[in-house]
Amino acid sequence: MKKYIAESFGTFWLVLGGCGSAVLAAAFPDVGIGLLGVSFAFGLTVLTMAFAIGHISGCHLNPAVSIGLWAGGRFPANQLLPYIAAQVIGGLVAGGVLFLIASGQAGFDVSAGFASNGYAEHSPGGYSLLSAFITEVVMTMMFLLVIMGATDERAPKGLAPIAIGLCLTLIHLISIPVTNTSVNPARSTGVALYVGGWAISQLWLFWIAPVIGAILGAGVYRYIGSEDK
């Protein structure tokens, strides 16, 4: 149970820190942090939580990561559903807290996006469904490759959180213009349910594509990371 609680709190921090930076600080007059700041915010949430709860739950914070680690032989199948449930709950609670904070500003309009992920007319750069799908699959694939490599027992000890946090930062630097960057179904769900409408109707992509990418990344690492006999 402590593992599941840790995953909820970790995912809460990821969604509040990452999406909160996008909603509250990205375009703040004169001192907005912009896409670079949002990218680092997401990376820092994972880096800080990896040090805080990595030794408790493994700090997945992401259903796609849990599924990918299972596919890579690093995580038991009987814990998948509880982990995913804990992550989604943490994301939803964070979305609710962020909504309460953001709605305190005059003129706040949740339908404007609320850091939701989208494609076509809801892509920040107007990218198509195909572009969004490819982006989410490839970015999540590379994320899992880095996660599995950095946490391999042969890798330098104690540095995995830094590699994983910086990888997520890089992923956001690349893909925010395409989909607003998901690579994490819990992150997408945590804000989409408060937006409703188009955000929910497009949410399927941000479950399916990251899961496919995670399984691919895990498969690649199982092959290239296996020791020759």
Side-chain angles (χ1 to χ4, degrees):
M1 183 57 67
K2 289 180 180 178
K3 291 182 179 181
Y4 308 143
I5 294 172
E7 281 295 301
S8 282
F9 272 101
T11 311
F12 171 89
W13 185 232
L14 183 148
V15 174
L16 184 63
C19 295
S21 71
V23 172
L24 304 175
F28 190 77
D30 301 327
V31 292
I33 62 174
L35 299 187
L36 180 63
V38 173
S39 298
F40 271 103
F42 273 101
L44 289 170
T45 62
V46 171
L47 189 154
T48 52
M49 272 297 149
F51 280 115
I53 67 168
H55 54 287
I56 300 171
S57 68
C59 192
H60 299 183
L61 318 185
N62 182 338
V65 169
S66 296
I67 292 170
L69 291 175
W70 163 76
R74 300 272 191 91
F75 190 67
N78 64 357
Q79 291 186 36
L80 266 181
L81 288 180
Y83 260 60
I84 292 171
Q87 292 155 359
V88 171
I89 290 169
L92 288 170
V93 173
V97 170
L98 180 57
F99 180 84
L100 289 174
I101 295 170
S103 61
Q105 183 184 49
F108 170 68
D109 180 12
V110 71
S111 66
F114 199 52
S116 290
N117 302 113
Y119 55 84
E121 67 271 24
H122 299 294
S123 158
Y127 287 85
S128 69
L129 169 59
L130 180 60
S131 293
F133 177 79
I134 293 171
T135 298
E136 290 292 324
V137 168
V138 173
M139 295 299 145
T140 315
M141 178 182 73
M142 297 308 299
F143 195 33
L144 260 291
L145 189 64
V146 170
I147 289 171
M148 293 192 66
T151 56
D152 193 302
E153 61 182 12
R154 296 165 294 173
K157 304 301 180 186
L159 299 179
I162 298 172
I164 295 167
L166 288 176
C167 180
L168 189 61
T169 298
L170 177 58
I171 286 169
H172 279 78
L173 288 172
I174 297 167
S175 59
I176 285 178
V178 184
T179 62
N180 229 9
T181 309
S182 171
V183 302
N184 184 339
R187 169 261 187 269
S188 299
T189 304
V191 290
L193 264 62
Y194 295 91
V195 177
W198 68 264
I200 293 178
S201 70
Q202 294 193 355
L203 185 59
W204 64 271
L205 177 69
F206 303 103
W207 275 85
I208 292 175
V211 168
I212 292 172
I215 293 172
L216 289 173
V220 169
Y221 192 79
R222 285 193 82 164
Y223 176 72
I224 66 172
S226 60
E227 298 186 72
D228 294 332
K229 302 298 183 181

